Amino acid sequence: MSFYHTPKALSAFDAKFEAQKIAFGPISFQVAHCLLKFEVLASIDQAGEQGLSIAQLAQTSVLNEYALGVLLDMGLSMGLVWLNGDAYVLDKTGYFLLHDDMAAINLNFVQDVCYQGLFQLDKALVTGKPSGLAVFGDWQTIYPALKDLPAEAKASWFAFDHYYSDHAF
């Protein structure tokens, strides 16, 4: 599907589906983040085409079977994994989320730098001020705050900045 389309190019069914993806986008993002953070996708990837059941995943995970089931149910609907019997296998989108540098850098940047501040996006748009930056302190811009950011946010900021700067040159 093209990012740019004429109004008639997208069916009503597809448009409704896209609206639901937007509505659940923050949940999808957090599920993907957790599947990476708790190394669920990495474990499934290492198992190859045979995949792993929830019970097998629970043997080496800090998460119990219920938590894994919740994450993997959403992972199925997001196309990160697929089921082969009762075994979860990494799907193409999950593969790129796990192995693509740009996906990892973008995900970490959004999680560690942007996510909490985005709750203030409406206020920032109305006032013209970086209201969301308050999650890190009282700053007019992010640049003076860089040295004082929490370690994860600082690492994610610099990884993002260097990735895109390096690729620009």
Side-chain angles (χ1 to χ4, degrees):
M1 180 182 303
S2 172
F3 284 24
Y4 304 102
H5 58 271
T6 62
K8 293 182 182 182
L10 190 65
S11 71
F13 179 83
D14 289 339
K16 186 173 183 177
F17 180 74
E18 292 302 317
Q20 296 311 308
K21 284 176 30 182
I22 292 167
F24 284 98
I27 297 168
S28 298
F29 178 89
Q30 288 300 324
V31 166
H33 171 71
C34 287
L35 286 166
L36 291 166
K37 177 180 182 173
F38 295 114
E39 300 183 352
V40 177
L41 293 182
S43 295
I44 292 170
D45 185 40
Q46 290 171 358
E49 286 295 316
Q50 68 197 28
L52 292 172
S53 68
I54 289 178
Q56 290 170 314
L57 283 162
Q59 291 174 4
T60 58
S61 179
V62 299
L63 302 176
N64 63 32
E65 288 188 26
Y66 176 78
L68 288 163
V70 167
L71 291 175
L72 289 167
D73 278 349
M74 188 69 176
L76 280 170
S77 70
M78 295 163 53
L80 302 179
V81 294
W82 58 278
L83 268 175
N84 184 9
D86 69 342
Y88 290 85
V89 180
L90 197 66
D91 210 337
K92 289 178 187 123
T93 303
Y95 175 87
F96 285 108
L97 195 58
L98 184 61
H99 293 288
D100 180 65
D101 288 342
M102 183 173 29
I105 287 167
N106 288 340
L107 188 131
N108 290 334
F109 176 75
V110 171
Q111 174 67 21
D112 300 334
V113 178
C114 303
Y115 205 87
Q116 290 180 334
L118 284 170
F119 281 73
Q120 300 299 319
L121 179 61
D122 55 347
K123 183 177 177 183
L125 294 170
V126 170
T127 64
K129 298 182 183 196
S131 305
L133 195 51
V135 300
F136 296 121
D138 186 22
W139 304 99
Q140 292 299 314
T141 70
I142 188 85
Y143 297 103
L146 291 176
K147 67 181 180 7
D148 297 317
L149 291 177
E152 284 182 339
K154 187 183 299 185
S156 294
W157 170 272
F158 284 111
F160 181 86
D161 184 60
H162 292 158
Y163 181 83
Y164 287 99
S165 295
D166 292 351
H167 283 86
F169 297 103

